[in-house]
Amino acid sequence: MHEKTADLWDLHGIGAWVAITTNGFVKKNGEAVMGRGVAREAAQCFEWLPAQLGDRIRDAGNHVHKFSTIRLFTFPVKHHWHDPADPDLIVRSAKELAAWIRDPGAGPSTPRVYLVRPGCGNGQLRWEDVKPLIAPIFDDRVVIVEHAR
């Protein structure tokens, strides 16, 4: 796992895969709540994403989901949008993302994924507490981004 300061969307713009932090709440209209941070930025870029993510959450649960056409993974850090981030969910999401990256049978290979510091914005966790939980899970194909936008 590496770390860098960058604009996540600048990296995406040059062809990189990104992972956005999300929650597992689906509104009555079927859309996933994507109201803050990089989730909101992704929803603004890809207007169809909240509905498609809502479908996937309803069908498969609050897990890491891969959107190959736009080089994007979701990375759940919360169960409900108003809750603080859940460290256990972050660890589970890290394991799921690592499995997607490592498994060549899961689709096209993903050479590197850029992920913001999970749970450390609106999730109210401190990076000093989250980093030791996920560092052993990720290899050098995951870059943690201190998102500067």
Side-chain angles (χ1 to χ4, degrees):
M1 179 178 90
H2 299 287
E3 295 182 64
K4 75 184 293 177
T5 300
D7 184 311
L8 189 71
W9 301 110
D10 286 348
L11 296 166
H12 186 263
I14 59 171
W17 279 79
V18 299
I20 60 165
T21 50
T22 58
N23 65 79
F25 190 80
V26 178
K27 300 183 280 188
K28 288 181 182 179
N29 70 359
E31 293 183 349
V33 171
M34 300 178 74
R36 291 200 169 197
V38 294
R40 187 184 87 208
E41 293 168 4
Q44 290 170 338
C45 291
F46 309 104
E47 294 178 0
W48 51 267
L49 186 57
Q52 289 215 357
L53 179 55
D55 289 344
R56 291 191 188 187
I57 291 170
R58 268 195 326 277
D59 293 344
N62 191 23
H63 293 277
V64 171
H65 296 285
K66 184 177 184 177
F67 292 86
S68 296
T69 59
I70 57 171
R71 300 177 321 280
L72 185 140
F73 288 97
T74 59
F75 189 98
V77 298
K78 296 178 175 187
H79 300 284
H80 193 283
W81 62 267
H82 66 69
D83 293 336
D86 177 352
D88 293 332
L89 180 58
I90 291 170
V91 168
R92 188 191 79 194
S93 295
K95 290 176 180 177
E96 290 177 4
L97 180 60
W100 274 107
I101 294 168
R102 290 185 186 119
D103 182 5
S109 78
T110 308
R112 181 161 283 169
V113 176
Y114 295 86
L115 167 68
V116 296
R117 293 176 170 180
C120 296
N122 189 46
Q124 305 170 15
L125 299 178
R126 296 176 337 132
W127 179 234
E128 299 79 32
D129 298 325
V130 174
K131 182 178 179 178
L133 299 175
I134 63 173
I137 299 167
F138 289 139
D139 62 22
D140 63 355
R141 289 176 282 187
V142 175
V143 180
I144 303 297
V145 175
E146 184 174 8
H147 184 51
R149 178 162 250 209

